Amino acid sequence: MAALSVLIADGNPVVRAGLAALLGAAGGFEITAEAADGREALSLTRRHAPDVVLLDVRMPGVDGISALPHLVRLAPVLMLTYSREAEIIRETLLLGAGGYLVHGEFTADDLVRAVRDVREGRAHFTPTAADALLAELRASSQPQRTVAQFPERLHNSVLFGLSSREAEIMDLIASGMSNQQIAAACFISEKTVKNHINRIFAKLHSTTRSEAIARWLGTARPGVTGRG
């Protein structure tokens, strides 16, 4: 069996060396190139045409998520990272990643199996990634049930141009939850919650929580700015 060629893209040279050593010891793999960021990964993938790309999420310069949609046009991509956030996992899969491994949750044999699986088009996940993805799917189904139960929410979502996730978070804001509580309920980071809230406030033309809640619940007319 011909050796599978692998490109490793990770901002940490120690991690790159460790992965190369694991695959080298397993046999059947050839490390064709190593990249320190997404831009270099794309350039080297074009040059070497590897069978599989191992890609980290967070790297200096061009990160893995930015490079991913370009890389998947050239080779199967296996995410191999410390990032555990459900939204990141979901986004990488939507962008075409063939699997998602979290460091510390796989053995050398698991890595070998995952690389071969992704090469053959079979998805592969470590436990945290699988659990996070399941939680994200469950959370994303909740807004649909809520809309079916409360038609006025669908009207508000359309009126203000909120996505289903933004509508879900706005409902949680209106229920009195803090950012930390919303993050826990939605299985996302507080930073992601803050980013969503910034977009929500912009769409609701609001500058405070109370003002946004008033607009969302229909006690303030769109386009009329209040202070409180």
Side-chain angles (χ1 to χ4, degrees):
M1 182 182 296
L4 288 182
S5 59
V6 178
L7 183 146
I8 302 173
D10 194 293
N12 188 330
V14 175
V15 172
R16 295 199 305 269
L19 293 173
L22 286 176
L23 292 176
F29 298 94
E30 177 190 1
I31 308 304
T32 58
E34 297 182 18
D37 66 11
R39 187 184 304 279
E40 188 177 15
L42 185 57
S43 174
L44 292 174
T45 298
R46 286 172 174 157
R47 182 186 309 170
H48 296 284
D51 292 314
V52 178
V53 174
L54 303 186
L55 182 67
D56 190 16
V57 169
R58 294 186 172 93
M59 295 183 286
V62 177
D63 62 27
I65 291 180
S66 299
L68 180 57
H70 305 286
L71 287 169
V72 295
R73 299 173 186 170
L74 305 172
V77 176
L78 172 63
M79 306 306 297
L80 213 161
T81 178
Y82 287 100
S83 301
R84 299 167 178 258
E85 293 181 21
E87 285 204 345
I88 289 178
I89 296 169
R90 178 176 179 273
E91 185 173 4
T92 61
L93 296 178
L94 288 174
L95 290 173
Y100 199 105
L101 304 189
V102 176
H103 284 296
E105 296 187 353
F106 60 87
T107 64
D109 288 342
D110 292 332
L111 176 61
V112 168
R113 190 178 306 111
V115 174
R116 294 195 182 281
D117 280 349
V118 168
R119 169 60 179 164
E120 297 300 320
R122 295 186 295 268
H124 201 105
F125 306 95
T126 49
T128 293
D131 291 345
L133 180 60
L134 178 60
E136 175 71 11
L137 291 173
R138 286 172 174 167
S140 65
S141 69
Q142 183 62 37
Q144 297 175 8
R145 293 195 295 271
T146 307
V147 166
Q149 295 167 358
F150 303 102
E152 67 274 12
R153 175 179 166 181
L154 176 59
H155 174 266
N156 282 353
S157 297
V158 174
L159 178 65
F160 294 111
L162 269 61
S163 67
S164 61
R165 174 62 103 181
E166 289 167 348
E168 178 188 17
I169 289 175
M170 190 59 232
D171 274 347
L172 297 178
I173 292 172
S175 74
M177 280 192 179
S178 67
N179 288 4
Q180 184 177 14
Q181 290 170 325
I182 293 171
C186 296
F187 302 96
I188 57 179
S189 68
E190 286 190 61
K191 181 179 179 181
T192 301
V193 171
K194 290 177 182 177
N195 290 338
H196 279 304
I197 289 175
N198 287 338
R199 289 193 290 269
I200 290 168
F201 281 14
K203 290 179 180 180
L204 268 61
H205 302 289
S206 302
T207 56
T208 65
R209 251 176 155 82
S210 59
E211 189 178 344
I213 291 170
R215 295 201 185 286
W216 185 243
L217 298 180
T219 54
R221 297 194 310 275
V224 178
T225 304
R227 292 284 180 264

